[in-house]
Amino acid sequence: MYWEKETETMPGNRLEELQLARLKKSVEKASASVFYGGLFKKTNLDSNGIKSLEDIKKIPLTTKDDLREHWPYGFLAVSRDELVRMHSSSGTTGRATVIFHTIDDIKEWTNIVARSMYMTGMRKSDVFQNMMTYGLFTGGLGFHYGAEKLGALVIPAGAGNSKRQIQLMQDFGTTAIHIIPSYALHLLSVFEEMGVDPRSDTQLQIAFLGAEPHSEKTREKIEEFYGIKAYNSYGLSEMDGPGVAFECRRQNGMHIWEDNFIVEIINPDTLEPVPDGEEGELVLTTLLRDGMPILRYRTKDLTRIIPGPCECGRTHVRIERIKGRTDDMLILKGVNIFPIQIEKKLMDVPGVGTNFLIILERKGFNDHMTVRVEVQKEFFSGDLKQLENLRRRIVEELKGDILITPKVELVEPGSLPKSEGKAVRVIDNREE
Ligand code: ADP
Ligand code: ZN
């Protein structure tokens, strides 16, 4: 049931002792880098100043901009000879950051990915098809090596080429896939086109959904249409990549591996810790990284800690599914909206398809939101009244949740742009 029982079920106090010892080491290691060396000098800090886990607050927060400003080697804590691998972020919000790993870093990362997959029930008898981009993006190689370590047969399919993906699944009896949720929804139309039913014509059992925010509704949809269990997988390149936080079979929040990371949740405005259980920005510290330790990293991802123990017996803290990044928030007529709120509402309306796009425009002094939604093709043949009813229903649903009235346009399936990577949900045409 456990990949590493002792570590996964370690009582809280022992886990904290382990974290403290590792934090001290991490601070010591980090001080060898240009960035932290300078920072510690300025703030008069060294590992002797870390006497309890609380002392982590003495360390200033690290941001994505710090990584960008000290690009590429300013965070290196070892000589370049020690490095064996480089990865980078996807660059969703600007210049991509780069992360360097030693052989031990890769070993630890691989282990938490294997541990995460094992937690969901994947075993060495499984055939694992990795449908993420290979290369600099961490979702490819990160999962690849984790699955190999677990002993599964890995099909390194990479992203895209949808028909071939389905063919591979059928030819080699794929049982587990790693896939971006928006792509999993898109792939359903390709299944349909090929006349293949994922429920009866494949042996799929497990999907790992990661790389972008998605709602519980989307997960349910994917589970239903594919006839599988889908587990939320969270990670970011700055903290290795996938394997940082992962759902167990209870599917009630994602466990963050606290033997590898220290978890904090802060208020993104005041930078103060939020009370336990309240929403805020996730801040993470690496505990086992040699090449490029990163301390108190502001992930920009919004979530909250789920208080209390998990029925699975693992003691590592759980976080709720990510609501979005702080910079995903749209401000429209003074109202704050996250794209995932819209996704959640749409996925709940029968007849809605698998893709949508939010378009923002400014007319005079007014901001306008248009939500373009793919709906099932039946709505476009026959009685157009039904289409109009559906449109009205969507407007009402959205209005009830986001408190402004968006313009809703319904379009045929497949007509919105489709990305092989993270979905682009918002086009903001408002000039600065
Ligand atoms: P970038 O930050 O440029 O997109 P990464 O490829 O490192 O580069 O992506 C990490 C980010 O992707 C996370 O910080 C988070 O915003 C998002 N992400 C990853 N997995 C999930 C998930 N399961 N749910 C929601 N968001 C996720
Ligand atoms: Zn659990």
Side-chain angles (χ1 to χ4, degrees), residues 64 89-92 137 211-213 232-233 235 237 301 322 325 422:
K64 207 167 187 124
S89 67
S90 309
T92 311
F137 177 55
E212 66 184 14
N232 197 355
S233 150
S237 57
D301 291 322
I322 307 286
R325 304 177 197 240
K422 302 180 189 232

Side-chain angles (χ1 to χ4, degrees), residues 26-250:
S26 237
V27 169
E28 217 172 279
K29 280 186 256 179
S31 63
S33 70
V34 172
F35 177 77
Y36 286 112
L39 189 69
F40 293 165
K41 214 178 240 164
K42 233 181 355 201
T43 49
N44 223 345
L45 191 82
D46 64 28
S47 57
N48 294 325
I50 308 289
K51 296 198 170 60
S52 72
L53 280 180
E54 271 296 296
D55 288 336
I56 196 174
K57 299 206 180 74
K58 294 181 183 167
I59 307 169
L61 295 158
T62 298
T63 64
K64 207 167 187 124
D65 284 338
D66 292 328
L67 287 172
R68 286 180 179 141
E69 276 162 30
H70 295 82
W71 184 93
Y73 300 123
F75 278 73
L76 263 201
V78 297
S79 83
R80 275 194 237 167
D81 294 2
E82 302 299 316
L83 303 176
V84 300
R85 177 112 60 90
M86 175 183 131
H87 273 290
S88 101
S89 67
S90 309
T92 311
T93 57
R95 185 189 205 172
T97 52
V98 285
I99 302 293
F100 297 100
H101 298 278
T102 66
I103 193 87
D104 284 342
D105 294 342
I106 296 287
K107 221 169 75 195
E108 295 296 348
W109 176 23
T110 300
N111 187 55
I112 50 175
V113 176
R115 189 198 284 172
S116 302
M117 293 172 131
Y118 194 88
M119 173 165 71
T120 66
M122 183 163 140
R123 294 295 179 263
K124 73 191 292 291
S125 51
D126 276 291
V127 178
F128 171 67
Q129 189 165 326
N130 194 7
M131 299 163 72
M132 292 279 177
T133 310
Y134 275 67
L136 287 168
F137 177 55
T138 54
L141 292 176
F143 259 86
H144 182 100
Y145 286 112
E148 274 189 6
K149 181 168 170 94
L150 195 148
L153 168 61
V154 181
I155 305 179
N161 210 337
S162 304
K163 286 191 176 145
R164 194 184 61 173
Q165 298 281 5
I166 294 170
Q167 195 64 54
L168 285 168
M169 284 177 199
Q170 290 196 288
D171 288 348
F172 303 104
T174 302
T175 54
I177 53 175
H178 178 207
I179 189 165
I180 296 186
S182 54
Y183 186 68
L185 290 175
H186 162 73
L187 198 64
L188 286 170
S189 59
V190 186
F191 270 107
E192 200 180 303
E193 195 187 316
M194 289 171 73
V196 178
D197 179 353
R199 297 184 69 101
S200 50
D201 303 335
T202 73
Q203 295 180 46
L204 290 178
Q205 282 167 14
I206 298 179
F208 306 113
L209 304 180
E212 66 184 14
H214 55 290
S215 65
E216 189 61 33
K217 269 285 150 202
T218 292
R219 178 240 289 282
E220 281 168 20
K221 229 177 192 172
I222 291 169
E223 289 194 329
E224 188 191 325
F225 288 139
Y226 283 83
I228 53 170
K229 281 278 179 201
Y231 296 95
N232 197 355
S233 150
Y234 167 79
L236 61 164
S237 57
E238 293 85 349
M239 295 287 123
D240 295 349
V244 175
F246 222 92
E247 273 181 336
C248 66
R249 291 170 73 119
R250 306 283 159 179

Side-chain angles (χ1 to χ4, degrees), residues 182-358:
S182 54
Y183 186 68
L185 290 175
H186 162 73
L187 198 64
L188 286 170
S189 59
V190 186
F191 270 107
E192 200 180 303
E193 195 187 316
M194 289 171 73
V196 178
D197 179 353
R199 297 184 69 101
S200 50
D201 303 335
T202 73
Q203 295 180 46
L204 290 178
Q205 282 167 14
I206 298 179
F208 306 113
L209 304 180
E212 66 184 14
H214 55 290
S215 65
E216 189 61 33
K217 269 285 150 202
T218 292
R219 178 240 289 282
E220 281 168 20
K221 229 177 192 172
I222 291 169
E223 289 194 329
E224 188 191 325
F225 288 139
Y226 283 83
I228 53 170
K229 281 278 179 201
Y231 296 95
N232 197 355
S233 150
Y234 167 79
L236 61 164
S237 57
E238 293 85 349
M239 295 287 123
D240 295 349
V244 175
F246 222 92
E247 273 181 336
C248 66
R249 291 170 73 119
R250 306 283 159 179
Q251 295 180 305
N252 182 17
M254 297 181 279
H255 289 282
I256 299 195
W257 298 122
E258 289 187 274
D259 56 324
N260 278 253
F261 304 99
I262 292 184
V263 183
E264 297 171 81
I265 310 269
I266 62 166
N267 177 319
D269 301 320
T270 64
L271 307 185
E272 290 299 318
V274 301
D276 238 9
E278 271 181 34
E279 185 183 286
E281 178 179 345
L282 179 67
V283 169
L284 293 170
T285 296
T286 62
L287 291 178
L288 285 177
R289 247 190 6 210
D290 297 339
M292 208 169 146
I294 303 185
L295 311 173
R296 305 198 76 208
Y297 183 65
R298 291 188 61 179
T299 64
K300 294 192 172 181
D301 291 322
L302 293 170
T303 183
R304 67 179 195 96
I305 300 259
I306 300 179
C310 184
E311 287 165 19
C312 75
R314 290 177 185 82
T315 48
H316 299 237
V317 72
R318 282 171 301 155
I319 54 167
E320 193 151 88
R321 61 176 59 249
I322 307 286
K323 180 176 176 187
R325 304 177 197 240
T326 44
D327 32 41
D328 282 347
M329 190 174 77
L330 312 170
I331 305 180
L332 208 79
K333 300 179 179 168
V335 181
N336 300 343
I337 304 163
F338 281 92
I340 197 163
Q341 284 174 269
I342 297 191
E343 189 227 278
K344 209 155 121 186
K345 281 288 154 194
L346 292 177
M347 290 304 158
D348 224 3
V349 178
V352 164
T354 54
N355 203 355
F356 71 97
L357 185 66
I358 301 166

